[in-house]
Amino acid sequence: MRLKKVVFPVAGHGSRFLPATKATPKEMLPVVDKPLIQYAVEEALEAGFTELIFITGKTKRAITDHFDQTLEIGVSNMTDKKKQLFDEMNNIIPKSASCIYIRQGEPLGLGHAILQAKPVLGDEPFAVVLADDLIDAKPGVLKQMVDRYDDSNTSLIAVEKIKKADSIHYGMIEIDSFNKALANIIDIIEKPDPVDAPSDFGVVGRYIFTNQILDYLAKTNVGTGNEIQLTDAIKSMLATNNVSAYEFLGTRYDCGDKLGFVKANIEYALKNNDFGVELESYLRNRLT
Ligand code: UTP
């Protein structure tokens, strides 16, 4: 079945980024001039997804507004550059794609957020993108994964090598060996201590799931942090389904974390056509 649906869970607290996220969604924080959620949506559109399902919650209204066509433009007296910018803003979502917004009444965890999309997912496979994992990649990671999914039709989870000491922040996987960037997942553990981490590979925020994951999510009890954990549902699914780890090509920035977010801004700003060169010279002077 062709992949059309992608879920963006955006209802989390964003507590690591307080006070910025007290009234502003974490996913609306800009990297240079674009909010994180827009990078995520553009990655999904590039990969061919046409049904964009946002799981939103309290204080997240700005996300819904962002993808609306609400700008009233007095086109007549506008410079060409400004007009182009306004056109781009009003066309983030092409006519061929549609947005669906579902509320997660209470942030009971990532697994619970994904489960809210069940009524619109039907029996189709789908992708999940966590916008706070910004990944600089060409082609985008979701496109890389769709190509792999088309070959295998099994669930795929993006992973990367992390410092073992950081395992307490990740779902950590046990795998057999990688072959052409893919490995079978044998086990998965949510945020283990470094000594208990089964490998150096941690899960990052890109997934493609066969529809069975929804059955496992529905049966998953509250776990770590009093939340319904996606990791626990994946662990149960491993008993009956193949799930592969995909070691993606690209550079990830954890933008749910302040330092990761600052690094992303520096890297994306250095690549900016208008001021990247000037910024580089500023940084060189500043650091000598
Ligand atoms: P995080 O683990 O980063 O949680 O969620 P969080 O609550 O957003 O942030 P911190 O840890 O408090 O700083 C990963 C993704 O899952 C979504 C978040 O919005 C984020 O995109 N999420 C999480 C939900 O949609 N609902 C939830 O109940 C929890």
Side-chain angles (χ1 to χ4, degrees):
M1 205 181 269
R2 194 175 79 79
L3 281 159
K4 294 183 303 219
K5 301 185 182 204
V6 53
V7 179
F8 302 98
V10 291
H13 291 293
S15 51
R16 283 172 296 153
F17 224 120
L18 284 167
T21 47
K22 184 163 178 249
T24 303
K26 162 172 75 174
E27 298 80 7
M28 286 301 292
L29 295 174
V31 169
V32 183
D33 56 0
K34 217 191 271 186
L36 288 167
I37 190 66
Q38 189 176 335
Y39 288 98
V41 161
E42 287 173 356
E43 185 180 324
L45 292 169
E46 178 210 9
F49 289 89
T50 51
E51 292 177 46
L52 317 177
I53 304 159
F54 299 83
I55 311 300
T56 77
K58 241 192 324 211
T59 74
K60 303 287 181 162
R61 229 196 76 185
I63 295 174
T64 320
D65 291 347
H66 186 70
F67 295 108
D68 274 356
Q69 299 224 4
T70 50
L71 287 167
E72 282 145 32
I73 314 164
V75 190
S76 54
N77 57 357
M78 222 187 266
T79 60
D80 283 351
K81 198 166 176 198
K82 231 181 192 166
K83 183 172 174 337
Q84 190 194 341
L85 183 63
F86 275 71
D87 283 347
E88 277 171 22
M89 272 194 288
N90 273 332
N91 290 300
I92 301 170
I93 311 287
K95 298 255 180 305
S96 53
S98 52
C99 295
I100 300 158
Y101 298 95
I102 298 174
R103 299 277 293 198
Q104 184 189 19
E106 230 185 319
L108 296 177
L110 175 57
H112 181 259
I114 294 169
L115 205 48
Q116 306 313 298
K118 191 175 160 85
V120 290
L121 290 170
D123 59 358
E124 294 184 38
F126 60 95
V128 174
V129 178
L130 307 187
D132 51 355
D133 269 338
L134 175 64
I135 309 181
D136 190 8
K138 266 200 173 62
V141 174
L142 220 45
K143 171 84 178 90
Q144 296 174 30
M145 291 174 76
V146 167
D147 291 345
R148 300 305 180 110
Y149 178 82
D150 288 343
D151 293 341
S152 68
N153 277 13
T154 55
S155 296
L156 279 178
I157 299 179
V159 299
E160 79 174 349
K161 216 173 207 170
I162 60 145
K163 283 192 233 125
K164 264 248 169 98
D166 290 337
S167 66
I168 46 165
H169 303 298
Y170 292 86
M172 299 297 294
I173 53 166
E174 182 182 346
I175 41 168
D176 58 11
S177 54
F178 276 102
N179 181 9
K180 297 192 181 143
L182 289 172
N184 276 323
I185 299 183
I186 297 161
D187 198 5
I188 183 164
I189 309 173
E190 179 70 3
K191 302 185 173 141
D193 284 333
V195 285
D196 299 323
S199 74
D200 290 341
F201 286 92
V203 172
V204 306
R206 302 291 182 278
Y207 313 78
I208 292 179
F209 288 117
T210 56
N211 199 262
Q212 285 95 329
I213 190 71
L214 295 176
D215 298 332
Y216 289 98
L217 276 172
K219 285 186 235 152
T220 300
N221 294 320
V222 166
T224 314
N226 255 348
E227 295 185 336
I228 294 180
Q229 296 291 347
L230 175 60
T231 304
D232 293 343
I234 295 169
K235 195 181 178 77
S236 309
M237 189 160 96
L238 285 171
T240 49
N241 290 262
N242 285 335
V243 181
S244 299
Y246 172 61
E247 193 181 12
F248 62 88
L249 294 169
T251 307
R252 180 186 71 104
Y253 302 95
D254 177 4
C255 292
D257 168 79
K258 290 174 189 176
L259 179 60
F261 176 78
V262 171
K263 285 182 187 169
N265 266 290
I266 292 171
E267 292 297 340
Y268 278 65
L270 284 170
K271 289 202 292 187
N272 185 282
N273 287 335
D274 294 334
F275 52 74
V277 172
E278 200 179 327
L279 175 66
E280 185 172 342
S281 113
Y282 167 79
L283 288 174
R284 280 189 196 285
N285 287 335
R286 176 68 184 73
L287 296 172
T288 48

